[in-house]
Amino acid sequence: ETGVTQTPRHLVMGMTNKKSLKCEQHLGHNAMYWYKQSAKKPLELMFVYSLEERVENNSVPSRFSPECPNSSHLFLHLHTLQPEDSALYLCASSQGLAGDAPGELFFGEGSRLTVL
Amino acid sequence: GESVGLHLPTLSVQEGDNSIINCAYSNSASDYFIWYKQESGKGPQFIIDIRSNMDKRQGQRVTVLLNKTVKHLSLQIAATQPGDSAVYFCAENAYTGTASKLTFGTGTRLQVTL
């Protein structure tokens, strides 16, 4: 149990569907992240939120839309996805402040997305 | 451009032996590196980190070595156990002051044989 919870764990959707991934952290952290993990590829940073403001958007297609309503919750809204978007989507949080381990991210177990 | 890469995709080690997982990076300006472990069905888990002003850091059964001259990072696991079987990622961090921006390598799968 890392303190970061992602739902759903598995999602199958068609290319015309609209769905959302949810992430909740119980650690009191100030920064939250979305990463994409595809087979045989490095984890790709998608979005970074710090204190509920988006501070990083790594050239992600607009069919992925993040939302951070407060420091504990992060969503990834999905619409008109492509089969190549099938992957494991990982949410993470961190303290977001200079400290002993600024690179220590706490990851959730991920949402496995399959786009048909 | 920046890249963080791993030399070997799979490493097989006998239980009780020491494991060494290597990582090369290309951005000489990187000043902070991290190792993560990912077990099957789970998200990555922080293992240990090291700043560029250090060349060695030790944790519990793990040691990270940094060679800035050749831009090489390694993770040493002492007395490898079956529970160490996982994929290991190195990452470099571009810290913005409010959040971390990690660039991960491809990963090395560690298989522990009995």
Side-chain angles (χ1 to χ4, degrees):
Chain A
E1 185 64 48
T2 64
V4 179
T5 304
Q6 291 187 242
T7 55
R9 292 294 310 279
H10 299 274
L11 178 62
V12 180
M13 59 188 290
M15 289 190 283
T16 59
N17 292 158
K18 289 184 179 181
K19 297 287 184 182
S20 295
L21 306 181
K22 178 183 175 182
C23 178
E24 183 175 1
Q25 58 98 359
H26 312 277
L27 302 168
H29 288 164
N30 294 318
M32 296 188 76
Y33 311 78
W34 280 116
Y35 277 85
K36 176 183 178 182
Q37 187 172 35
S38 306
K40 299 181 181 179
K41 289 179 67 176
L43 281 93
E44 302 171 65
L45 178 63
M46 299 176 72
F47 301 105
V48 181
Y49 277 83
S50 175
L51 299 172
E52 301 152 44
E53 287 191 26
R54 191 188 308 180
V55 298
E56 187 75 32
N57 178 351
N58 261 13
S59 302
V60 179
S62 59
R63 58 186 182 269
F64 295 92
S65 175
E67 179 189 1
C68 187
N70 55 62
S71 60
S72 299
H73 294 87
L74 185 65
F75 295 89
L76 188 63
H77 304 299
L78 317 168
H79 65 97
T80 58
L81 295 191
Q82 305 298 311
E84 59 265 29
D85 297 322
S86 298
L88 182 69
Y89 289 85
L90 289 159
C91 173
S93 70
S94 72
Q95 285 189 317
L97 299 173
D100 291 338
E104 185 172 7
L105 270 58
F106 291 77
F107 283 87
E109 295 188 329
S111 293
R112 173 71 61 185
L113 174 66
T114 302
V115 182
L116 302 177
Chain B
E2 297 180 23
S3 69
V4 178
L6 293 166
H7 293 306
L8 298 172
T10 303
L11 176 66
S12 185
V13 175
Q14 200 160 21
E15 182 181 6
D17 288 350
N18 297 335
S19 303
I20 301 176
I21 301 171
N22 297 303
C23 177
Y25 64 95
S26 61
N27 185 1
S28 57
S30 296
D31 62 359
Y32 181 66
F33 303 90
I34 314 98
W35 281 100
Y36 277 83
K37 171 187 180 183
Q38 186 173 22
E39 297 176 81
S40 180
K42 296 185 178 181
Q45 181 182 12
F46 175 92
I47 301 174
I48 192 168
D49 59 1
I50 188 168
R51 297 183 186 274
S52 61
N53 61 354
M54 304 172 69
D55 53 20
K56 180 179 180 179
R57 191 173 188 204
Q58 288 184 294
Q60 188 176 15
R61 277 201 310 120
V62 295
T63 301
V64 55
L65 299 177
L66 176 62
N67 185 330
K68 294 181 288 293
T69 302
V70 296
K71 290 183 283 189
H72 184 266
L73 190 69
S74 68
L75 177 71
Q76 300 180 359
I77 304 173
T80 311
Q81 302 170 358
D84 295 325
S85 294
V87 177
Y88 289 80
F89 298 94
C90 65
E92 57 182 315
N93 187 37
Y95 186 63
T96 67
T98 58
S100 298
K101 180 182 175 183
L102 295 182
T103 301
F104 283 86
T106 310
T108 293
R109 181 174 300 280
L110 177 64
Q111 295 178 333
V112 181
T113 59
L114 302 176

